[in-house]
């Protein structure tokens, strides 16, 4: 079987992705995560915290919940149905760090968790930092003139 035949075979037998349904679910779940974040921020503000402190505590709470739900298996089940909706940056990043740590804990804290905790999040950190440096240099050069 050559490449062309194989491609035709896989396209014929692969299940079709319900793109519209997936987009709607991603929008709803992502919106609910953001709604939860806004609700937490409002709650912390009403409890007397400064707006900046409430924002920080909201971020910490969302990270905690994402890691907790990853640890007990809820986050993965939610992600199966919601797809990209669970990748709202703070919760998706928390899941990307917690998942490898949980999966490799049996290998030990050094060669397991320590060595593999950033296998998913590492490229995000690397390329995010590199993009920030490139943007910073471009910004600096354009402000010289």
């Amino acid at each position: 079987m050559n490449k062309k035949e194989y491609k035709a075979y896989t396209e014929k037998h692969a299940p079709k992705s319900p793109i519209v349904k997936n987009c709607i679910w991603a929008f709803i779940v992502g919106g609910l995560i953001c709604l939860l974040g806004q609700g937490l921020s409002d709650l912390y503000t009403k409890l007397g915290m400064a707006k900046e402190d409430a924002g920080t505590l909201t971020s910490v709470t969302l990270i905690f919940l994402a890691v907790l739900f990853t640890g007990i298996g809820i986050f993965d089940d939610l992600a199966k149905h919601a797809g990209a909706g669970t990748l709202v940056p703070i919760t998706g990043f928390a899941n990307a760090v917690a998942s490898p740590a949980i999966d490799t804990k049996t290998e030990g804290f050094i060669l397991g968790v320590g060595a593999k905790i950033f296998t998913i999040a590492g490229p995000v950190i690397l390329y995010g930092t590199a993009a920030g440096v490139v943007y910073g240099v471009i910004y600096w050069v354009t402000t010289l003139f």
Side-chain angles (χ1 to χ4, degrees):
M1 182 179 287
N2 63 32
K3 288 183 181 183
K4 188 175 181 180
E5 292 171 338
Y6 180 74
K7 183 177 180 183
Y9 175 81
T10 56
E11 286 176 359
K12 180 180 176 185
H13 290 87
K16 301 296 180 218
S17 177
I19 294 173
V20 173
K21 177 185 158 200
N22 291 346
C23 288
I24 291 170
W25 271 112
F27 180 79
I28 290 170
V29 172
L32 288 173
I33 292 171
C34 292
L35 183 66
L36 173 64
Q38 185 62 51
L40 288 169
S41 179
D42 292 347
L43 174 68
Y44 295 143
T45 303
K46 286 187 191 265
L47 291 175
M49 298 186 86
K51 188 171 180 99
E52 186 174 311
D53 294 337
T56 301
L57 190 55
T58 298
S59 297
V60 169
T61 305
L62 288 173
I63 291 168
F64 171 77
L65 290 173
V67 170
L68 175 69
F69 292 161
T70 298
I72 60 178
I74 294 173
F75 198 94
D76 291 339
D77 292 338
L78 179 63
K80 286 178 189 173
H81 300 291
T86 58
L87 297 178
V88 174
I90 200 161
T91 55
F93 191 77
N95 174 261
V97 172
S99 290
I102 292 167
D103 292 343
T104 59
K105 71 180 179 182
T106 58
E107 298 174 33
F109 286 112
I110 304 296
L111 297 177
V113 176
K116 298 177 183 166
I117 193 167
F118 290 112
T119 54
I120 297 172
V124 174
I125 295 169
L126 172 69
Y127 292 113
T129 303
V133 169
V134 170
Y135 175 77
V137 169
I138 292 170
Y139 179 78
W140 177 69
V141 167
T142 58
T143 58
L144 288 177
F145 303 106

